[in-house]
Amino acid sequence: GQNIDQPTEMTATEGAIVQINCTYQTSGFNGLFWYQQHAGEAPTFLSYNVLDGLEEKGRFSSFLSRSKGYSYLLLKELQMKDSASYLCAVSNSNYQLIWGAGTKLIIKP
Amino acid sequence: DADVTQTPRNRITKTGKRIMLECSQTKGHDRMYWYRQDPGLGLRLIYYSFDVKDINKGEISDGYSVSRQAQAKFSLSLESAIPNQTALYFCATSDLNRDTGELFFGEGSRLTVL
């Protein structure tokens, strides 16, 4: 089967750094996405990785290792507004997105 | 105005009723999708359409049907709603010509079936 695993919930402190991990097993691979979703709102695109390595975009970075079936999202200088769920999704050989259940990130002052 | 608009945003209905959720987009994308989201589960694909004449079942299509009335409109119907169809439903679009396949989501339609 195909599955995406990520922690259910994480807690971090404002101003700190947090890393959210995602491991995947899919039939083929055509890229990995991270989306942010605030409670009751639509997911919004954060990043896309298709090659191994680190992609940096402001306070957010995303890393991919295809050989390990592993990705992480790194959030720096955490702000209260970063409290949200972070969804990992993989595009498989049919270009269909397989979604993880999401990681709820709680930021404390 | 939102690029991907869903109506209604909230709906409470009774078991056995027919419900239609509508989605329209101004992004000019060919591809449109319907997902449902349940607590503790990932987004699950119900149906998707790559153009007006193309409709495909997703992983959980039973109990649902769709209609692609135009490039910009994609409707989801529940012919006879049941309580386990209570969920948050999202419409999404993507651009055929965009390598990443990034999805653009509507604001969601919260459906409660009593």
Side-chain angles (χ1 to χ4, degrees):
Chain A
Q2 303 185 95
N3 65 282
I4 310 288
D5 289 317
Q6 49 182 134
T8 303
E9 187 174 295
M10 299 181 70
T11 302
T13 304
E14 189 177 16
I17 299 173
V18 70
Q19 177 175 311
I20 302 174
N21 295 324
C22 171
T23 58
Y24 63 89
Q25 289 180 308
T26 56
S27 55
F29 179 85
N30 280 301
L32 184 144
F33 295 81
W34 285 97
Y35 282 77
Q36 181 189 60
Q37 185 179 24
H38 286 99
E41 297 183 7
T44 55
F45 173 81
L46 286 178
S47 68
Y48 171 74
N49 294 68
V50 68
L51 299 176
D52 291 350
L54 187 68
E55 295 276 347
E56 298 186 77
K57 191 186 296 185
R59 294 188 298 114
F60 292 7
S61 303
S62 57
F63 171 83
L64 174 67
S65 169
R66 289 172 296 171
S67 63
K68 295 182 179 179
Y70 169 71
S71 173
Y72 67 72
L73 180 69
L74 191 71
L75 292 74
K76 302 177 184 177
E77 302 169 14
L78 286 170
Q79 302 175 9
M80 297 303 293
K81 68 179 182 179
D82 297 329
S83 292
S85 289
Y86 292 85
L87 313 181
C88 175
V90 172
S91 177
N92 68 8
S93 58
N94 294 323
Y95 293 93
Q96 292 185 345
L97 283 182
I98 311 301
W99 294 83
T103 299
K104 182 178 181 180
L105 178 62
I106 299 168
I107 310 295
K108 295 186 174 180
Chain B
D1 289 340
D3 294 324
V4 184
T5 304
Q6 293 182 228
T7 55
R9 296 290 313 281
N10 288 283
R11 181 72 183 269
I12 300 173
T13 191
K14 295 182 179 180
T15 297
K17 295 292 187 181
R18 184 177 187 274
I19 296 297
M20 179 180 285
L21 305 180
E22 298 185 340
C23 178
S24 62
Q25 53 115 346
T26 58
K27 300 190 74 66
H29 290 169
D30 289 314
R31 299 181 173 189
M32 298 187 74
Y33 310 79
W34 275 105
Y35 284 93
R36 67 176 279 175
Q37 187 175 43
D38 299 274
L41 297 177
L43 286 161
R44 291 184 291 168
L45 184 62
I46 306 172
Y47 272 95
Y48 62 102
S49 169
F50 283 176
D51 65 42
V52 175
K53 297 181 180 180
D54 176 76
I55 302 289
N56 303 282
K57 292 183 176 181
E59 59 181 301
I60 54 162
S61 59
D62 287 349
Y64 302 95
S65 62
V66 291
S67 173
R68 185 83 184 265
Q69 300 96 324
Q71 188 206 32
K73 295 184 181 295
F74 192 37
S75 300
L76 176 72
S77 293
L78 289 69
E79 295 301 324
S80 179
I82 56 177
N84 76 1
Q85 291 178 313
T86 294
L88 183 58
Y89 290 85
F90 286 104
C91 174
T93 72
S94 67
D95 184 353
L96 173 65
N97 297 312
R98 191 179 175 91
D99 291 341
T100 67
E102 175 188 349
L103 293 178
F104 297 84
F105 286 87
E107 295 170 310
S109 297
R110 185 168 297 280
L111 177 65
T112 302
V113 183
L114 302 176

